[in-house]
Amino acid sequence: MADLTANLAGIESPNPFWLASGPPTNTGDQVARAFEAGWGGAVWKTIGEPIENTWSRYSSVDLNGNRMMGLNNIELITDRPLDVNLQEIREVKRRYPGHAVVVSAMVESKREAWHTIVKQIEDTGADGVELNFGCPHGMSERGMGSAIGQVPEYCSQITEWAKEVAETPVIVKLTPNITDIRTASRAAKAGGADAISLINTINSITGVDLDTLTPRPAVGTRSSHGGYCGPAVKPIALNMVAAIAGDPGTAEIPISGIGGVTTWRDAAEFILLGATNVQVCTAVMHYGFRIVEGLIDGLGNYLDGKGLGCVADLRAKSVDQVTDWQHLDLNYIIKAEIDQDKCIGCALCYIACNDGAHQAIGAKRSDEGRTDVWIKYDDCVGCNLCSLVCPVEECITMVEQDTEYRPLTWAEVEDGADPSGLAPRPKHDLTIGG
Amino acid sequence: MKPASNGKYQALEPPPPLTSSEGLAEANRCLMCWDAPCTRACPTHIDVPRFIKQIATDDLLGSARTILSANILGASCARVCPTEVLCEGACVLHDLHERPIEIGRLQGLATDPVVFGGDPIFVPGPDTGFRIAIVGAGPAGLSCAAELTRLGHSAVILDAADIPGGLNTHGVAEYKMRPDTSLAEVEWVLSHGGELRSGVRVGTDITIDALLEEHDAVFIGTGLARSAPLGIPGEDLAGVEAALDFIANLKARPREEAALEGERVAVIGAGNTAIDAATQSVRLGADKVFLVFRRAPEHMRAYDHEIEKALLDGVELVAQAVPVSITGQGAVGGLTLQRTELGAPGRDGRPAVKALDGTEFHLDVTRVVRATGQVGYHDFYAAVPDVELDGAGRVVVDERFRTGNVRIWAGGDCVNGGKEVVNAVEHGKQAARDIDATLHGVALPSGGD
Ligand SMILES: Cc1cc2nc3c(=O)[nH]c(=O)nc-3n(C[C@H](O)[C@H](O)[C@H](O)COP(=O)(O)OP(=O)(O)OC[C@H]3O[C@@H](n4cnc5c(N)ncnc54)[C@H](O)[C@@H]3O)c2cc1C
Ligand SMILES: Cc1cc2nc3c(=O)[nH]c(=O)nc-3n(C[C@H](O)[C@H](O)[C@H](O)COP(=O)(O)O)c2cc1C
Ligand code: SF4
Ligand code: SF4
Ligand code: SF4
């Protein structure tokens, strides 16, 4: 099997799967059990001045009967005494020298406070420090967490303070609650960060109890916005990872990818878009430490199948394929094609295209009590929608069309290329009500 | 899942309703097809994807309304419909080699709390002043009454039986639905309006002419009469019964009394009623049950899934055999049969049957149940002016369920020769809409199955 070891800014781990800072890394006992289960590393639940939590603190979004598509929390940093945490970190690192033990920290925005906590952490033998600039609730009201991550100057400043004393790598964990993630990653780099991890949770209210009218999670009759995570946030996280990986301003800064990783496929995607390793929280909160077995096995098999010897060989392979829209080929023509042998006649493609897209699918009741569907090729704009709604695997495929038109981008048109080089588009000149 | 049926006394009770979490999981499997095949296959055209989506989104009341506005007997249909050949049989998931959606049980999940919880599902329309008489409180009559009530008419139902519901109460197999379930549903249907007069046989206790005089229109939903006698010696012995009486008696009595331990039963016939009589007998403990029919197994009229159930129950098929006499002293002691030969297919596509002399054989049985098909109420219809029966004894109607008499509509088994509850419901509903349109002097586009 391929070599799964990972090295994030000098922190080595037997595999690229780390537990993200959160409830699964709250105690030494949990982290030890996670390492036994196979996790390569763990970022300790953020330490600092212990806080008091509300009792009710999580809520979630279910989708079509699937639980916890997205998870929301209003939990703060650790509520355990600092010395207990430090002592347990020391013990875990002593017992698992080959695993990555990184400690997340958040303290007052004072140079002394950061110097002290970094030294205390490194004194345990931990492999690195992660600066929590991301917590979007509670801590931010106290001038910490995302209150730092949202202001580039603070972000640089505190990273600098940490780096002044740190001897191990300093990872800066970013908040996604910001317009352009690159301003934060550049600031972290400017402050001397050795690596970046993202994303922390996204500001959210998951819903409202329609009986009590209290938003969730209900803390008595009130609630508060929390931080959103889990499978629902993966696309947002992937985009941010790719944006940083493709940014010349932060080129080559190692990235630890976080946000909705549940399967090895998710992990592979983060790595392809520039992450060196991934961190997992919600999936473990849902299914337990055991999921790491599937992550390890699946990623290993995938690398083997691709003929890649190690995880690093996969890293950033898709980054160059992410570009600005203006550089996309406007003459890359695809059209939907239906495999009539596979079609079950549900007509979801028809209604989606007809009501929700481009009126390019025909439908007629069949003799068998189903619906016959067909693509009106001249009207199809190749948008993919039908292939997305079709419940049958590989029934609708998007097929590239031959064209005499040469590749042409909007940027080239803007730069003076002849717009008559654009392949003609289907016209939607339907009569209203016709 | 349909109940397992591979042993005596199994599945005497209806399967348990879906729990709400099972329902949610099942509802979420539905693809929400457009112009859905399941809806098209439902004789009452319930908007299946819509009611399922309503279950999935925790709007059970809305779901019940979707169902019950198309099919007022949605709760019993959820139990008794042969979904395998209707909605579930049409579900596109078959083509994905997946289990079809359990539409019937989802329908029960949504409708049970309403139908057996008491609250009406609609408010009767403003009173039109029209009065309609309905003959028969079976599914056809009840559906017609409910739709007429919804449209603001007043409906009076007359039924010869003391207990309403027609075959839905007295006929369907116990493991699908108990009589008290049907009766609770009848009570709920009537809670919307409509008056029931039980124990009144039209034609005997009151004439059809009197009904026509006192009402603006009449709907006839008499269903069918008991099967005719076989016309063989020994039919008067104790233990010989028409299938419907046999089943109705089983259903009317407590289980201990209805038990058939020690009995050996021969059911004559190859339709769904014959199968029901046979499987009911097995489930009530009969020692041996034979299903005797004239043609070959492939010609049986019963649904495949019903035949399979009977075979799993251990019913023995006696194919290509015709009864010639029933023997015994005072009570049935045996059944003598002849072998048959099958000839060229007749008009209905089924082979002609010829009994062969000299092939007599004997079955050792203590009961003979006649399930050779119900027939029309010829005497009753002879007295109804301008209403005709066809050669098969079915009332002749047009696509709006109008008979030859402009003031009389008909629907249900008496029109289709005996189908399902759901067909009778659709007939009653469509007839009510046409009665409404006719009384208001508006024409309607044609409907019905
Ligand atoms: C044994 C058996 C099992 C069945 N199982 C199923 C099943 O599992 N699922 C299913 O969907 N269908 C089943 N059916 C069919 C279903 O029961 C019928 O299709 C349905 O009940 C027909 O409804 P209806 O209203 O037309 O007639 P019926 O249900 O027959 O009702 C007719 C009513 O009219 C009354 N009546 C008759 N004549 C008069 C008169 N002159 N005056 C006053 N009242 C009168 C009768 O008392 C009766 O109440 C079964 C039928 C049988 C025989
Ligand atoms: C294909 C597509 C095209 C969209 N185009 C526009 C647009 O032209 N203008 C706009 O304000 N929002 C546009 N949106 C965003 C939607 O209006 C909406 O804000 C967003 O999709 C979130 O809502 P939803 O989760 O219901 O899709 C578009 C969304 C989709 C899916
Ligand atoms: S690709 Fe888009 S436009 Fe073409 S048929 Fe499918 S949904 Fe319609
Ligand atoms: S969505 Fe797919 S399966 Fe359904 S009708 Fe369209 S092509 Fe066929
Ligand atoms: S055919 Fe099946 S999947 Fe489609 S709407 Fe009906 S129940 Fe749902």
Side-chain angles (χ1 to χ4, degrees):
Chain A
M1 180 134 96
D3 173 12
L4 290 189
T5 56
N7 183 330
L8 182 87
I11 306 175
E12 296 194 352
S13 57
N15 61 52
F17 305 113
W18 290 12
L19 291 173
S21 177
T25 58
N26 206 28
T27 64
D29 170 61
Q30 284 167 292
V31 175
R33 283 192 285 120
F35 287 164
E36 289 298 333
W39 289 88
V43 182
W44 211 270
K45 170 76 184 171
T46 303
I47 63 170
E49 195 60 40
I51 53 70
E52 296 300 339
N53 270 313
T54 56
W55 298 73
S56 162
R57 57 186 95 157
Y58 308 141
S59 61
S60 69
V61 171
D62 300 342
L63 185 69
N64 292 350
N66 288 325
R67 303 293 260 168
M68 262 169 63
M69 279 298 301
L71 177 69
N72 168 79
N73 83 87
I74 57 169
E75 187 173 284
L76 306 183
I77 65 170
T78 187
D79 54 6
R80 308 175 76 223
L82 183 60
D83 54 335
V84 173
N85 270 312
L86 292 171
Q87 196 268 322
E88 288 184 9
I89 294 164
R90 181 187 312 277
E91 180 61 18
V92 168
K93 185 63 212 177
R94 189 184 67 74
R95 288 204 212 173
Y96 299 92
H99 289 67
V101 178
V102 173
V103 180
S104 170
M106 183 195 293
V107 291
E108 277 182 289
S109 297
K110 295 204 173 112
R111 187 179 198 167
E112 287 318 309
W114 281 99
H115 280 182
T116 309
I117 195 78
V118 169
K119 286 184 197 150
Q120 284 171 319
I121 289 169
E122 292 193 336
D123 187 51
T124 64
D127 301 294
V129 184
E130 187 178 82
L131 312 185
N132 180 344
F133 294 169
C135 180
H137 44 261
M139 303 314 291
S140 51
E141 295 165 20
R142 303 175 198 184
M144 295 182 258
S146 64
I148 306 300
Q150 286 166 341
V151 183
E153 295 74 34
Y154 297 170
C155 189
S156 293
Q157 180 64 75
I158 292 177
T159 309
E160 236 176 81
W161 289 340
K163 284 295 289 179
E164 283 167 3
V165 293
E167 285 165 13
T168 59
V170 170
I171 306 167
V172 173
K173 184 167 180 180
L174 299 180
T175 175
N177 299 309
I178 182 172
T179 319
D180 183 345
I181 195 67
R182 291 173 302 185
T183 57
S185 54
R186 287 172 194 161
K189 187 172 185 210
D194 298 292
I196 283 169
S197 58
L198 77 166
I199 59 174
N200 208 311
T201 57
I202 303 173
N203 287 342
S204 66
I205 290 178
T206 45
V208 178
D209 183 313
L210 295 180
D211 293 322
T212 63
L213 312 190
T214 308
R216 282 187 288 264
V219 182
T221 55
R222 294 181 139 183
S223 188
S224 182
H225 84 264
Y228 200 44
C229 51
V233 310
K234 187 187 84 171
I236 297 164
L238 283 178
N239 173 53
M240 291 186 167
V241 166
I244 295 172
D247 177 12
T250 48
E252 293 312 315
I253 191 157
I255 301 171
S256 186
I258 316 170
V261 175
T262 307
T263 69
W264 67 267
R265 305 184 71 93
D266 303 326
E269 290 166 2
F270 272 97
I271 294 168
L272 281 165
L273 287 172
T276 295
N277 70 2
V278 293
Q279 299 183 25
V280 179
C281 182
T282 305
V284 168
M285 292 179 71
H286 197 160
Y287 300 109
F289 297 129
R290 62 194 164 136
I291 63 163
V292 75
E293 294 160 18
L295 295 176
I296 291 171
D297 198 56
L299 186 65
N301 290 338
Y302 174 71
L303 292 176
D304 290 347
K306 285 269 169 216
L308 297 173
C310 62
V311 180
D313 289 351
L314 191 67
R315 200 184 76 81
K317 271 202 172 341
S318 298
V319 172
D320 290 347
Q321 278 159 270
V322 181
T323 174
D324 285 342
W325 191 92
Q326 59 175 334
H327 301 304
L328 297 176
D329 179 9
L330 295 171
N331 286 339
Y332 169 72
I333 303 172
I334 56 173
K335 304 244 178 200
E337 203 151 279
I338 296 173
D339 181 340
Q340 296 291 353
D341 291 338
K342 294 200 171 113
C343 174
I344 60 173
C346 67
L348 285 169
C349 56
Y350 163 75
I351 201 63
C353 186
N354 207 48
D355 289 3
H358 305 98
Q359 302 79 46
I361 298 183
K364 192 165 98 349
R365 285 185 168 195
S366 73
D367 295 341
E368 293 82 45
R370 299 287 162 79
T371 305
D372 287 335
V373 291
W374 63 93
I375 304 291
K376 300 176 189 167
Y377 289 99
D378 290 346
D379 296 330
C380 174
V381 306
C383 71
N384 296 335
L385 181 63
C386 54
S387 70
L388 302 178
V389 300
C390 177
V392 184
E393 217 177 317
E394 288 178 357
C395 175
I396 301 187
T397 42
M398 303 306 299
V399 180
E400 186 172 355
Q401 308 289 304
D402 289 337
T403 173
E404 68 267 28
Y405 290 89
R406 303 164 61 83
L408 184 60
T409 68
W410 186 248
E412 288 162 347
V413 174
E414 290 264 274
D415 280 352
D418 182 358
S420 70
L422 278 175
R425 268 56 186 161
K427 303 219 184 320
H428 300 289
D429 40 11
L430 299 173
T431 338
I432 293 175
Chain B
M1 291 296 295
K2 293 282 175 279
S5 53
N6 50 354
K8 289 186 178 183
Y9 282 112
Q10 278 206 359
L12 272 165
E13 298 297 326
L18 287 173
T19 64
S20 55
S21 60
E22 285 169 336
L24 186 66
E26 189 63 8
N28 279 312
R29 291 174 58 231
C30 171
L31 300 174
M32 246 191 121
C33 298
W34 180 78
D35 192 13
C38 49
T39 291
R40 284 189 243 164
C42 169
T44 56
H45 304 300
I46 293 172
D47 189 335
V48 175
R50 175 173 156 165
F51 96 68
I52 291 182
K53 186 74 173 176
Q54 286 172 305
I55 291 176
T57 57
D58 202 15
D59 180 14
L60 275 194
L61 180 61
S63 180
R65 188 168 283 123
T66 301
I67 296 161
L68 296 166
S69 63
N71 179 340
I72 196 73
L73 299 193
S76 59
C77 283
R79 296 168 166 77
V80 308
C81 270
T83 51
E84 293 87 340
V85 295
L86 298 173
C87 53
E88 292 176 20
C91 177
V92 298
L93 293 184
H94 284 289
D95 292 10
L96 276 178
H97 306 290
E98 285 178 24
R99 269 189 309 116
I101 302 295
E102 290 196 57
I103 300 170
R105 292 181 77 201
L106 286 171
Q107 183 170 315
L109 180 71
T111 51
D112 282 1
V114 173
V115 175
F116 306 114
D119 280 347
I121 197 73
F122 64 79
V123 179
D127 189 0
T128 62
F130 291 119
R131 285 171 56 79
I132 294 97
I134 294 172
V135 184
L142 288 166
S143 163
C144 186
E147 190 69 4
L148 289 169
T149 303
R150 198 178 65 76
L151 294 166
H153 307 293
S154 78
V156 183
I157 316 178
L158 304 104
D159 197 296
D162 292 333
I163 297 174
L167 290 176
N168 215 15
T169 303
H170 303 288
V172 296
E174 291 279 294
Y175 70 86
K176 293 183 189 163
M177 184 170 70
R178 309 283 304 272
D180 50 357
T181 309
S182 168
L183 290 175
E185 185 182 48
V186 172
E187 194 175 316
W188 173 81
V189 170
L190 294 172
S191 74
H192 295 87
E195 183 194 337
L196 171 66
R197 293 192 205 147
S198 287
V200 181
R201 180 171 292 279
V202 178
T204 313
D205 301 328
I206 181 172
T207 63
I208 191 92
D209 291 325
L211 282 187
L212 284 166
E213 236 159 71
E214 289 163 23
H215 298 88
D216 300 290
V218 171
F219 173 80
I220 298 182
T222 55
L224 296 168
R226 302 288 188 259
S227 44
L230 300 166
I232 57 172
E235 241 180 310
D236 50 348
L237 292 169
V240 184
E241 262 178 311
L244 287 190
D245 293 322
F246 175 75
I247 291 171
N249 284 337
L250 297 182
K251 284 172 72 82
R253 276 182 290 166
R255 174 133 308 123
E256 312 81 71
E257 280 180 38
L260 292 171
E261 263 104 9
E263 305 274 6
R264 297 170 61 83
V265 183
V267 178
I268 321 282
N272 289 316
T273 300
I275 297 273
D276 271 357
T279 53
Q280 288 279 80
S281 300
V282 172
R283 284 148 203 256
L284 286 165
D287 281 4
K288 182 74 200 173
V289 179
F290 299 99
L291 199 59
V292 178
F293 48 97
R294 298 186 298 169
R295 296 187 177 85
E298 63 265 32
H299 304 122
M300 292 176 78
R301 274 170 295 128
Y303 296 127
D304 289 347
H305 64 267
E306 296 276 346
I307 297 172
E308 205 171 303
K309 203 174 307 169
L311 292 173
L312 282 172
D313 271 355
V315 171
E316 184 174 326
L317 302 188
V318 182
Q320 289 191 245
V322 38
V324 289
S325 69
I326 304 168
T327 54
Q329 298 294 325
V332 175
L335 177 65
T336 306
L337 302 141
Q338 272 180 345
R339 288 286 167 209
T340 67
E341 185 181 71
L342 301 184
R347 266 188 312 154
D348 61 356
R350 303 195 305 156
V353 176
K354 190 176 152 224
L356 301 174
D357 285 339
T359 61
E360 282 73 14
F361 66 104
H362 195 75
L363 286 183
D364 176 17
V365 295
T366 58
R367 294 285 195 109
V368 174
V369 178
R370 193 171 76 221
T372 44
Q374 294 177 260
V375 293
Y377 284 108
H378 288 276
D379 295 349
F380 168 78
Y381 286 100
V384 185
D386 301 322
V387 172
E388 273 178 66
L389 301 188
D390 67 9
R394 296 175 298 207
V395 180
V396 178
V397 294
D398 68 8
E399 77 283 357
R400 299 174 188 191
F401 302 95
R402 297 170 174 180
T403 66
N405 185 319
V406 294
R407 294 179 55 216
I408 301 180
W409 282 253
D413 278 3
C414 67
V415 157
N416 61 27
K419 282 192 174 172
E420 312 299 338
V421 170
V422 65
N423 301 95
V425 170
E426 178 68 0
H427 288 190
K429 178 182 83 183
Q430 294 296 348
R433 291 181 183 172
D434 193 56
I435 292 170
D436 175 71
T438 305
L439 293 178
H440 283 119
V442 216
L444 260 192
S446 62
D449 55 342

